[in-house]
Structure formats: C-alpha cells, structure tokens
Amino acid sequence: MESSARRQATRQKLYEAAVTLIAEQGFSATTVDEIAERAGVAKGTVYYNFASKSVLFEELLRHGVGLLTASLREASEKTAASGGNKIDALDAMIRAGLVFIDRYPAFTQLYVAELWRTNRAWQSTLAVVRQEAVAVVEDVLRGAVEGGELSEEIDIPLTAAALVGMVLVAALDWQAFQPERSLDDVHAALSRLLQGRVTGGR
C-alpha cells in the first residue's frame, strides 16, 4: 500500500503534468497517456489515483483554488496579527494573489478559462471553490465596513468578486503582455486602485 506522503507526491506530479498539458492544448485534446508520460508514471497510476481524466481535472481545480484560498487567508491573518487594519489586509491579499499566480501561471490561465464555460461536468465544483476564495475576501470587506474603514454602501459580494477578478486578470495580462514589469510594480498599481488613489487627492 502506498504511503499517504508518497501518494500526495504522485498526485502533485499528476496535477502539474495535467495543468501544463491542458493549458497548452485544451482539455479535450489532452489524453491520460500524455499526462502519465509527462508526470513520469505508468498510465495505471493515473487511474489508481483518479477514476477518470475528468475527475483528475476536477480535483486539480479543487486543489489549486484551495491553495489560493489558503494563501489569501494567511495574508489576512498575518496582517491582523501585526496590527494592520482591514484595508492593509486586502492589500496583503492582493499581493498574495499575485504571488500565487506568478508561481502557478498555467493553473491560473486554466481556472480563468474554465470559469466561463457553462457546459462542463465540473461547473458545480468550480462554483463551490470560487465561492470559497471569494468568501475570504468578503469576510475582510465585511470587517472593514463594520469597523468604519469602508462605506456601508458597498455591495460586499460584488466588490469581493471584483477584487478577485481584478487580481486574476491583471496578473494574466502582466504575464502575457507586460512581463518586463516586476511583481512590485503590479502590486503597487492594484494597491492604488484599492485605496482609491487613482482619482487624485481632491
């Protein structure tokens, strides 16, 4: 019987192989054989860990968004622990999102592409994991409104979705079209948007 640590390592290899191949050539065109070959494992190993290619992909989405959610939560908790306010926490979460996307660009492209497809078997999984990530941002926004840092007029679910969307799309744009910029540049630009410093000081 495989140890759980070894099984995790195998799954990690399969996730990495799948995400790269699917980002390169699309879900339909990617075969289990190719995933196994890219991961350096036997085809049977893929089926031992995942019932099908579709299940592998669903688990991959769950795993990736889970990592993103954990990094957002950690950024928020660290800010609170060091005495920062809720706006500081949102700013730290923007940075954590950018760091995640910089580290997992293929996964992010895949996630954003899949989010808008409507006929997929894993649509409900995607909705659930998206909500988990957005909920972390909603909690901080709610705290900011309660603490008087943000106006009570803000629509919390839409604002949270807009912040997550801003980070995802800006980061993908940065990687595709402005790769010469540093993570600090991109963070500074989004930070100004968050803090309402785009309109000038009047």
Side-chain angles (χ1 to χ4, degrees):
M1 199 58 208
E2 258 191 314
S3 73
S4 68
R6 185 156 163 224
R7 190 164 186 192
Q8 263 326 103
T10 303
R11 286 182 156 229
Q12 192 60 46
K13 268 197 261 180
L14 290 169
Y15 288 143
E16 282 164 19
V19 78
T20 320
L21 285 163
I22 295 167
E24 281 168 13
Q25 56 194 28
F27 177 77
S28 307
T30 301
T31 66
V32 170
D33 283 347
E34 288 173 307
I35 293 170
E37 193 184 329
R38 177 75 63 103
V41 302
K43 185 177 175 179
T45 304
V46 183
Y47 290 117
Y48 173 72
N49 282 278
F50 304 100
S52 66
K53 184 176 74 163
S54 198
V55 170
L56 163 58
F57 190 60
E58 192 169 335
E59 288 299 318
L60 166 67
L61 290 170
R62 212 185 276 274
H63 172 74
V65 181
L67 291 176
L68 172 60
T69 303
S71 71
L72 295 176
R73 192 173 288 121
E74 186 190 2
S76 163
E77 287 167 0
K78 269 191 180 159
T79 306
S82 65
N85 64 23
K86 299 296 184 192
I87 301 292
D88 296 332
L90 289 166
D91 195 51
M93 288 160 91
I94 287 174
R95 187 173 190 91
L98 292 172
V99 168
F100 174 87
I101 294 160
D102 192 41
R103 196 169 158 199
Y104 304 107
F107 174 78
T108 308
Q109 281 173 4
L110 202 55
Y111 171 69
V112 171
E114 287 302 322
L115 213 44
W116 310 117
R117 294 209 173 113
T118 49
N119 57 348
R120 291 284 200 231
W122 46 81
Q123 202 59 37
S124 59
T125 297
L126 212 46
V128 169
V129 293
R130 174 207 162 274
Q131 188 47 43
E132 285 169 8
V134 174
V136 179
V137 184
E138 285 180 5
D139 287 345
V140 177
L141 286 171
R142 206 167 286 113
V145 171
E146 285 163 6
E149 288 179 58
L150 287 175
S151 160
E152 287 185 1
E153 290 170 13
I154 73 163
D155 180 320
I156 289 173
L158 260 180
T159 305
L163 283 168
V164 172
M166 171 180 85
V167 174
L168 283 172
V169 176
L172 290 176
D173 189 273
W174 157 42
Q175 292 176 336
F177 304 112
Q178 311 181 52
E180 70 287 351
R181 290 180 177 278
S182 69
L183 196 144
D184 288 337
D185 284 346
V186 182
H187 178 222
L190 298 186
S191 196
R192 281 188 201 98
L193 266 176
L194 168 72
Q195 311 209 13
R197 296 204 305 265
V198 178
T199 51
R202 288 190 297 286

